[in-house]
Amino acid sequence: MVSKATTLPRLVALGGVLAGSVALAPVPAVAEPQAAAPTECRIHELPMPPGATKGNVSGGSPDGRTLVGTVEGTPSDLVHVVWRDGEILETPGNLPDRLEDVNSDGVAVGGIFDEYGERRPYVYRDGEVRVLPGHVTPRGINDTGQIVGFRSDAAGEIPVSWAPGSDQPVDLPGPPGVAEDVAADGTAVGTVAGETPGAPTNGFVWRPDGTSAALPRPEGIPANEHLEAHQINGPWVIGSGSSGEIRWNLDTGTAEVIPNTIFDSGAINEQGWVAAARRDSEGRAATATLFADGQQVPLPGINNWDLSASSISPDGSVIGGTALLSRGPSKPVSWTCS
């Protein structure tokens, strides 16, 4: 997956300061050959349907080819869009709410439970909508069709997972919170509440064997800073704190802050490469960078608009995201890198 703009309704806002890195208990990993890091990237405005004046990319597939999002300004108030290889693949008109994430087969999830019946959680596949029953919200889907998200009850938000093809979620172990994304092997990540009211939120991992654990805080991150985990690809996880984007490696146990990046502006691929917005001298997100194999490749912007990334392909050649003006319009964009 790769989905953006996490909202955890009953968990508190972020705060804190800059940090370094820390290690978990290491897990043996087999190194695999990596693709060569790109050295140059170019930005492209993604096409929008006639009449659309603004839009965004909300998620993308692990292979980097498919993006989902919404546009506005057409005769309808909101139009859902699926892009494939930089072109509009379809504009589904029968969806009960926004698209949130998509897998490499083009199966997408979206929506949120609405007690007034105006919005519904759903799975979208081959032009068909399957509404998910219950007070649930799907957030991510992997290439096997496993879905993660949360359900709501009087106690708050409970992280859940749906087996491929199932309409019935299963609660994930651990504290209340939200499961945000799920890797190909079924490992899920998200954000959970602290142990006591007012305690900081934490990034969290749920493994396929049923075990779960909080993700470690990078060195220097204070105990009262709120952390979130947004996306997983292979062993790599990306999340955020007030100091910017945080990268975890579940195989080696490392956790590190990526310096001068903007909260919840990044995406990560299976090689651990990160595309994220950078703070300029005024603290704005008008520049972005691909952090790949020790290199920092600039991601050009559009007229100093703020930038964010939603997905990055395995070889770093395609990045999906959004360019936006503060309190103004936004544009769905992609970068091609070589």
Side-chain angles (χ1 to χ4, degrees), residues 115-285:
E115 61 180 326
Y116 300 103
E118 296 178 356
R119 299 184 297 172
R120 282 289 179 265
Y122 65 93
V123 179
Y124 179 74
R125 178 171 190 155
D126 297 330
E128 299 293 330
V129 173
R130 188 176 90 244
V131 172
L132 295 172
H135 293 212
V136 297
T137 298
R139 301 292 294 178
I141 183 170
N142 68 10
D143 283 353
T144 72
Q146 180 183 352
I147 300 168
V148 296
F150 65 96
R151 65 176 179 86
S152 302
D153 62 18
E157 282 67 52
I158 308 301
V160 297
S161 174
W162 289 260
S166 174
D167 288 345
Q168 299 301 320
V170 175
D171 290 356
L172 293 172
V178 171
E180 286 286 348
D181 196 19
V182 58
D185 69 352
T187 303
V189 296
T191 304
V192 299
E195 295 182 358
T196 60
T201 59
N202 287 297
F204 207 81
V205 58
W206 296 271
R207 297 184 183 274
D209 62 5
T211 60
S212 61
L215 294 170
R217 292 174 173 267
E219 182 180 352
I221 289 282
N224 64 346
E225 180 171 347
H226 299 280
L227 304 183
E228 299 183 0
H230 303 144
Q231 190 180 111
I232 182 170
N233 223 323
W236 295 95
V237 179
I238 190 170
S240 298
S242 64
S243 52
E245 297 295 72
I246 298 171
R247 176 172 58 186
W248 290 273
N249 186 312
L250 301 179
D251 284 348
T252 65
T254 57
E256 59 182 337
V257 173
I258 302 175
N260 300 318
T261 51
I262 301 290
F263 167 79
D264 196 15
S265 69
I268 198 164
N269 71 2
E270 62 191 30
Q271 300 195 69
W273 297 353
V274 169
R278 301 289 299 272
R279 300 181 190 273
D280 62 16
S281 59
E282 299 178 354
R284 297 179 62 248

Side-chain angles (χ1 to χ4, degrees), residues 35-52:
T39 58
E40 181 181 14
C41 297
R42 297 160 296 283
I43 193 169
H44 313 275
E45 294 185 28
L46 290 169
M48 294 189 287

